[in-house]
Structures are given as C-alpha cells and as structure tokens.
Amino acid sequence: MKSLSSSFNKGCEPKHNLGLGVRLAVLLLLAPIVVKAEWFGDARPMMGTEVSVYLWSDDSEDGLATLESVFQEAQRIDRLMSTYKADSEISEINRKAAQTPVASGAELFRLISRSLEISELTDGAFDITYESVGQHYDFRGHQRPDAQTVETELENINFRFVQLDDEAQTVRFGRDGVRINLGGIAKGYVVERGVSILREKGIQNAIVTAGGDSRLLGDRRGRPWMVGIRDPRKEGEVAISVPLQDEAISTSGDYERFFDEDGVRYHHIIHPGTGSPASGVHSATVFGPDAVTTDALSTSVFVMGVDQGLRLIAKLPDYEGIVIDSDGQVFYSDGLEQPAKPASE
Ligand code: ADP
Ligand code: MG
C-alpha cells in the first residue's frame, strides 16, 4: 500500500520547482540534495506543452548527449502524431481515411490500436474521435463550436468508426467527417520512449515528463521521488504528494488548456457522449507501470467521474488513482493509504 502525504500535513518535504515549469500538471518536488553537478536536466516547450528530462549521470558529456537524444525522440514522435502539422502521418489519415484505407507507419498504427483497446476498457470514455468536435476549439483564441456544430459533429464521435486492418496496417474511417487526435495518449508514449532510451544508455535514475505525464526511472538515489499533484485551483500549489519510484504517473486537469466564459469553464477534455467538456472533476491522476496507459486512463477517469472512474481503477490491479472533484474533495482508489488529516481539521 502506498502512503501519501498531503501538503497540509506538517513535515511535508520542502518544495522546489526546479524550473521544470509551473504549467505542468505534475509538479516535481525535489529536495536540495538533487542540485548537484551529476544531475542533468532541461525543459523545452514541445507538443503544445513542456517536455522535461532530469537524469543522473557520472559523465557530463554522456549526460548531456543523453538528454538531447530524448528531446529528439519527442520531436520525432510529435512530427508523426501532431494534428497541428499538416504533413504528419495523422493529418494524412484525417484527410483521407473516410475515402480510402490509409497506410500508417507501424508505430502510429500500434498507438491507434492501443487507443481503441482503451476505448473498449473505458466504455468509450476514452475516444480519439473526440477530435471531430475538438477540432473546433481554439483555447488560446477563446473559440468554441456553437451548439449546431456540436450537434452535427457529435454524430462523428465513436471509436468504432476507426477501422484497422492489421495485415495491411491501414486505417479507415467508417464515416465522413470523422477526425482523430492522440492528444490523450501521445505524451505518455513520448515519456515511455524517453525512458527506454535512458535505459538503453545505462541511466538508472531519471524523470521524463511531457505535460501532465511523467515516468520515473529508479529512485532519487536512495529515496523515492516525491511527485506533487497540483491543487487544481491554486496555481503553483501542491495538493498531494506521492512518493514513487519506477512508476508512471499522469494527471488530467481542467486547468491545462481552457478559457472561462460567463462563469463556465471550457476545457480540453471532451465527454464523447455530449461533445462538450466533461464536468464534475477538476483533476484525475492515475499511476502504474506504463505511461501510455496512465495517460489514457487519467483522461478516461476525468471523463467517467469519481465513482465510475475509481471503479475502473479498482479493476486494474497495477494501477491506482486520485480524483479531485469539482467541490475540491479528494477521492483515493482502494490501494492507497490516505494521508493523515492535519490536527486542525
Ligand atoms: P494533458 O494533455 O494535459 O496531458 P490529458 O492527458 O488529459 O491532458 O489529455 C487531454 C487531451 O486529450 C486533450 O487535449 C485532447 O487532445 C485529448 N482528449 C480530449 N478528450 C478526450 C477523450 N474523451 N478521449 C481521448 N482523448 C481526449
Ligand atoms: Mg491523459
């Protein structure tokens, strides 16, 4: 059983942001001991968010080169999977797959296939065809689709419209107007790939983060990493810190990409049943062995809500979850030992 500490508890570890970016859904809490020459780290804007790598290496040249290779890998994956890039494989699929089967590279094919498995697992809460509506949002420009557009595009949301041919490695859409977007799973994939590269290079202690998704390699040299789950309504503040090693953790929040209009928050996680942003939850965190899975599941649990979401997590023995609902109340999955309440409460 994992024991958690709440930021309200006395004796919580000191918090250092380390410049990894306050926009991260997961803030890393590092004690001063890590700020040594042997730790190498960098954070770069990528994939519409920030990718960061932090690792321990005995050799500075190797350490820096290894950092670089993880960033290059993130860039390669983004070029393949970004709907913002007209020449990406996924953009080609979105343009043509309603007319004809489109050949896809093995890597993209596998991730689309994994997305569809997670759709089955989550009864459609995770659905990459959310993009049929999602494409009409521009969060920076405060643009959202009107009610008529949502109604029309809602007809195009259903993961079963995505037909994969395993033999030919092609993707076909069963309906005109369907669009897909891997935004709910691709960052987890970047993190997994990053950690694989680090392992190949012999690194034993590291964190790779892309937006709200992180994977920890080993521990913080003798102690667990402390990963903070952000307070969804207080920027820069941590609600709960979780000691982790050799594990992946993902948080989906309604504070990552959003705008407020007339008291309503329009954010980036779309309920496939309504075509509108999912309500009832401020953030959903999932941790377990694989970052691709935690990424997709955190988005799913956000959509499913506290009860259904935590019931799903209870069925998955290797995964745990923490949900903060829209009243700020915190809910934990069964395998977690909850933090002691501070004496003043
Ligand atoms: P972050 O991008 O902050 O890591 P998430 O992992 O929750 O957060 O992913 C949110 C992204 O997932 C959205 O920006 C969008 O690209 C995509 N998405 C939104 N709704 C869904 C959904 N119902 N199923 C699958 N992906 C979704
Ligand atoms: Mg996710």
Side-chain angles (χ1 to χ4, degrees):
M1 211 178 239
K2 285 197 171 64
S3 119
L4 308 176
S5 62
S6 150
S7 66
F8 312 112
N9 285 356
K10 293 198 178 79
C12 187
E13 299 226 2
K15 298 171 197 129
H16 292 263
N17 195 331
L18 201 109
L20 290 179
V22 285
R23 285 179 299 116
L24 297 183
V26 173
L27 302 178
L28 304 172
L29 311 183
L30 302 169
I33 188 168
V34 298
V35 191
K36 274 187 178 173
E38 293 88 349
W39 286 102
F40 298 89
D42 199 4
R44 299 181 191 172
M46 266 182 196
M47 309 180 85
T49 178
E50 192 171 74
V51 174
S52 65
V53 187
Y54 196 65
L55 59 85
W56 175 274
S57 172
D58 298 331
D59 181 284
S60 66
E61 214 166 292
D62 283 357
L64 292 171
T66 304
L67 280 183
E68 202 54 48
S69 51
V70 175
F71 287 115
Q72 270 168 22
E73 178 69 351
Q75 215 152 36
R76 184 188 67 79
I77 294 168
D78 190 35
R79 275 199 296 270
L80 214 59
M81 301 188 183
S82 169
T83 54
Y84 293 102
K85 295 182 166 53
D87 60 350
S88 68
E89 275 188 26
I90 199 155
S91 293
E92 162 139 331
I93 290 172
N94 276 335
R95 269 194 305 273
K96 300 184 182 158
Q99 281 78 51
T100 180
V102 179
S104 135
E107 213 176 0
L108 184 60
F109 189 87
R110 270 201 307 275
L111 203 59
I112 294 175
S113 176
R114 181 76 184 127
S115 299
L116 300 182
E117 282 168 18
I118 302 223
S119 298
E120 294 283 356
L121 178 73
T122 61
D123 281 332
F126 189 81
D127 190 329
I128 55 176
T129 67
Y130 90 89
E131 172 72 353
S132 309
V133 169
Q135 63 178 328
H136 299 286
Y137 276 92
D138 170 6
F139 293 101
R140 270 194 212 140
H142 291 206
Q143 299 290 319
R144 62 184 174 90
D146 58 29
Q148 181 57 53
T149 307
V150 173
E151 201 184 312
T152 308
E153 296 286 15
L154 189 54
E155 301 284 310
N156 297 324
I157 300 184
N158 188 334
F159 66 94
R160 294 199 166 84
F161 291 141
V162 183
Q163 299 154 1
L164 299 184
D165 181 332
D166 286 330
E167 253 186 23
Q169 299 262 304
T170 56
V171 185
R172 174 97 163 94
F173 295 157
R175 186 187 162 96
D176 242 354
V178 173
R179 294 282 181 282
I180 58 170
N181 186 321
L182 295 174
I185 194 166
K187 287 191 272 296
Y189 183 64
V190 162
V191 163
E192 276 303 314
R193 284 293 312 135
V195 164
S196 298
I197 290 174
L198 297 182
R199 274 218 193 86
E200 280 161 24
K201 306 225 183 233
I203 301 292
Q204 291 174 351
N205 311 88
I207 304 178
V208 180
T209 297
D213 307 293
S214 296
R215 170 90 193 243
L216 314 171
L217 184 57
D219 64 1
R220 207 173 73 198
R221 293 183 58 79
R223 310 194 260 164
W225 299 97
M226 294 300 291
V227 180
I229 298 170
R230 208 189 115 158
D231 183 318
R233 287 296 179 270
K234 291 187 192 141
E235 204 169 333
E237 285 194 30
V238 169
I240 301 145
S241 40
V242 191
L244 288 178
Q245 55 193 58
D246 268 323
E247 223 160 348
I249 178 164
S250 297
T251 297
S252 294
D254 66 357
Y255 46 79
E256 280 290 322
R257 247 178 261 182
F258 70 93
F259 60 90
D260 291 318
E261 192 184 296
D262 298 331
V264 179
R265 175 154 299 195
Y266 295 93
H267 63 81
H268 66 150
I269 300 171
I270 304 293
H271 195 304
T274 65
S276 295
S279 55
V281 168
H282 278 344
S283 86
T285 298
V286 175
F287 41 101
D290 170 60
V292 174
T293 307
T294 58
D295 186 4
L297 286 181
S298 69
T299 310
S300 310
V301 170
F302 191 105
V303 169
M304 295 167 94
V306 175
D307 291 345
Q308 224 195 328
L310 288 179
R311 264 203 303 276
L312 168 71
I313 295 298
K315 285 198 301 193
L316 307 171
D318 294 334
Y319 291 85
E320 299 296 343
I322 300 172
V323 185
I324 304 182
D325 76 1
S326 47
D327 294 324
Q329 213 179 327
V330 186
F331 298 86
Y332 301 86
S333 63
D334 292 344
L336 296 177
E337 192 184 302
Q338 302 184 18
K341 287 256 185 311
S344 57
E345 256 185 28

